[in-house]
Amino acid sequence: MKQYNVGIIGATGMVGQRFATLLEDHPWFNVKALAASPRSKGKTYEEAAGSRWAMKTPMPEKMKDMVLFDATADIEEIASMVDFVFCAVDMNKDEIKALEEAYAKAECPVVSNNSAHRFTDDVPMVVPEINPEHLEIIKSQRERLGTKKGFIAVKSNCSIQSYVPALHPLKKFGIKNVLACTYQAISGAGKTFETWPEMVDNLIPYIGGEEEKSEQEPLKVWGTIENGKIVKAQSPSITTQCLRVPVSDGHTAAVFVSFENKPSKEEILNCWKEFAGEPQKLELPHAPKQFINYFEEDNRPQAKLDRDLEGGMAVTAGRLREDTQYDYKFVCLSHNTLRGAAGGAVLLAELLAAKGYFD
């Protein structure tokens, strides 16, 4: 595979740090530019991140002395150095939209972890195993932006990465209604127990904007391209509750589902076992060999035990059983900063590279 030079925009934040660790020894992608807020400009990565380094692994040696750019003021310079950028900035929605479009218009493709463009109707929001065909909308987006190479592609919200992969291979049975309660780790808020001590021995029953994302984003992922726009699916009906729990990493979902044509438990388990998408067929570097892993034990999956399966890129499921009000209920888990954030964006970039979108 061809080698690509890449940048990390928002490199000092938690997701930016995760990008750095994932890209340290990537076989295709070489980090050539790091950018953050104006106050970090001119500092080395080690100076800028400093005591805020939140990863369990050390900062990559080859990035420590890289001097940071201003993510907003240095767009042209960054674009001249790289083939594309990963974006994980902490700004308001309108500022993020403008920033990402500015990179795209500078002919620098953007693979974004941010939510700002998830409902822009010509921006693909892709879970690589589920809707890789949505990348075809990039042609329409480039026409709108007036670019030849530049575009924006986004990954979905971390909360839906736990349960939508398990639902997707069951769509052939006609999913009618879904209830999902998510129990979300504190790293999803960019926090650790050291920086958020009030989360110890606590649970917060509200995460701003999360329930709307969890109910609506799956419908875009399952949507279709029509006349240069991605049109959301009309079904299934999804309702969610999203809770913040005292777990460092790993989002768990308790899922209830009803079908038009109720499958057997064996059919569901077989669908999960056999399901593979484009990343598995293409053998992309960060693709889990087994995407959905089912545990027979009643007390699995557990965040502490199972979130790192296949480098944190697999989805784990358990406790599948019939329900008195829905057809079935089960539990799912995914690593929210790997599969759910930076890892999912890296896998999306690998898919884009394999299909020639950066060339």
Side-chain angles (χ1 to χ4, degrees):
M1 172 57 72
K2 178 182 170 182
Q3 295 288 302
Y4 295 90
N5 292 330
V6 307
I8 303 172
I9 311 303
T12 55
M14 185 173 281
V15 176
Q17 293 176 23
R18 182 68 79 180
F19 275 127
T21 62
L22 289 173
L23 297 170
E24 181 176 11
D25 296 307
H26 197 281
W28 303 352
F29 304 150
N30 305 304
V31 177
K32 294 295 184 183
L34 301 173
S37 66
R39 66 179 177 273
S40 294
K41 181 175 179 175
K43 295 180 181 177
T44 66
Y45 194 26
E46 190 171 33
E47 290 169 342
S51 61
R52 293 186 294 130
W53 184 258
M55 299 295 103
K56 291 171 182 156
T57 53
M59 180 180 287
E61 282 294 329
K62 56 190 174 185
M63 298 183 205
K64 282 183 177 180
D65 293 328
M66 290 181 68
V67 176
L68 269 66
F69 292 96
D70 182 329
T72 304
D74 298 329
I75 293 173
E76 294 292 337
E77 187 173 357
I78 294 167
S80 72
M81 298 170 63
V82 301
D83 295 300
F84 70 94
V85 296
F86 292 102
C87 190
V89 294
D90 183 13
M91 301 164 70
N92 71 47
K93 189 172 181 178
D94 289 338
E95 288 174 335
I96 293 171
K97 278 188 169 183
L99 181 73
E100 292 181 344
E101 285 208 359
Y103 276 94
K105 287 177 178 177
E107 300 295 357
C108 180
V110 178
V111 180
S112 178
N113 182 74
N114 301 303
S115 65
H117 272 296
R118 285 186 194 150
F119 286 103
T120 303
D121 55 22
D122 61 5
V123 171
M125 179 173 66
V126 176
V127 180
E129 286 89 351
I130 294 175
N131 62 328
E133 70 279 2
H134 281 194
L135 297 181
E136 295 168 15
I137 199 71
I138 287 171
K139 181 176 182 293
S140 298
Q141 186 194 142
R142 282 171 167 162
E143 289 171 0
R144 173 176 66 85
L145 295 174
T147 60
K148 292 180 179 178
K149 182 185 175 188
F151 64 87
I152 302 160
V154 302
K155 53 153 288 298
S156 67
N157 194 45
C158 52
S159 66
I160 79 167
Q161 304 277 347
S162 55
Y163 59 91
V164 169
L167 291 171
H168 183 70
L170 309 180
K171 286 186 70 190
K172 62 185 179 182
F173 301 112
I175 299 172
K176 290 195 301 183
N177 298 300
V178 175
L179 164 63
C181 294
T182 62
Y183 304 88
Q184 301 185 201
I186 62 172
S187 56
K191 305 284 189 179
T192 64
F193 287 117
E194 289 72 29
T195 61
W196 201 5
E198 47 277 19
M199 270 309 299
V200 175
D201 191 31
N202 197 13
L203 181 153
I204 298 175
Y206 174 73
I207 306 171
E210 203 75 359
E211 287 159 6
E212 180 185 8
K213 294 173 189 173
S214 299
E215 293 169 356
Q216 294 300 314
E217 287 190 18
L219 300 178
K220 181 174 180 179
V221 169
W222 285 326
T224 55
I225 296 175
E226 299 176 21
N227 301 317
K229 296 180 180 181
I230 298 170
V231 179
K232 288 196 301 182
Q234 295 301 303
S235 62
S237 173
I238 304 172
T239 185
T240 66
Q241 286 208 110
C242 300
L243 294 77
R244 187 72 71 194
V245 294
V247 171
S248 59
D249 295 295
H251 287 357
T252 300
V255 186
F256 303 76
V257 57
S258 294
F259 298 94
E260 299 282 355
N261 302 295
K262 183 180 176 181
S264 67
K265 181 177 178 180
E266 290 70 28
E267 285 177 308
I268 293 175
L269 292 176
N270 196 51
C271 284
W272 287 345
K273 183 178 180 180
E274 292 187 352
F275 180 61
E278 284 283 289
Q280 286 71 37
K281 293 167 188 170
L282 295 169
E283 297 183 342
L284 300 178
H286 277 82
K289 289 181 173 58
Q290 180 64 42
F291 184 30
I292 302 170
N293 298 261
Y294 186 78
F295 287 98
E296 296 286 351
E297 298 92 334
D298 287 338
N299 63 346
R300 304 283 284 277
Q302 292 181 29
K304 197 169 186 177
L305 297 179
D306 304 314
R307 61 193 170 205
D308 292 317
L309 189 63
E310 296 219 39
M313 293 300 289
V315 172
T316 52
R319 302 205 70 209
L320 174 65
R321 60 221 191 273
E322 292 194 49
D323 184 59
T324 56
Q325 296 183 23
Y326 290 75
D327 288 331
Y328 286 97
K329 54 190 171 188
F330 58 88
V331 175
C332 274
L333 166 74
S334 65
H335 195 303
N336 57 295
T337 69
L338 288 167
R339 165 57 70 168
V346 170
L347 185 62
L348 171 55
E350 290 169 357
L351 180 64
L352 286 159
K355 292 185 173 291
Y357 282 94
F358 297 135
D359 300 331

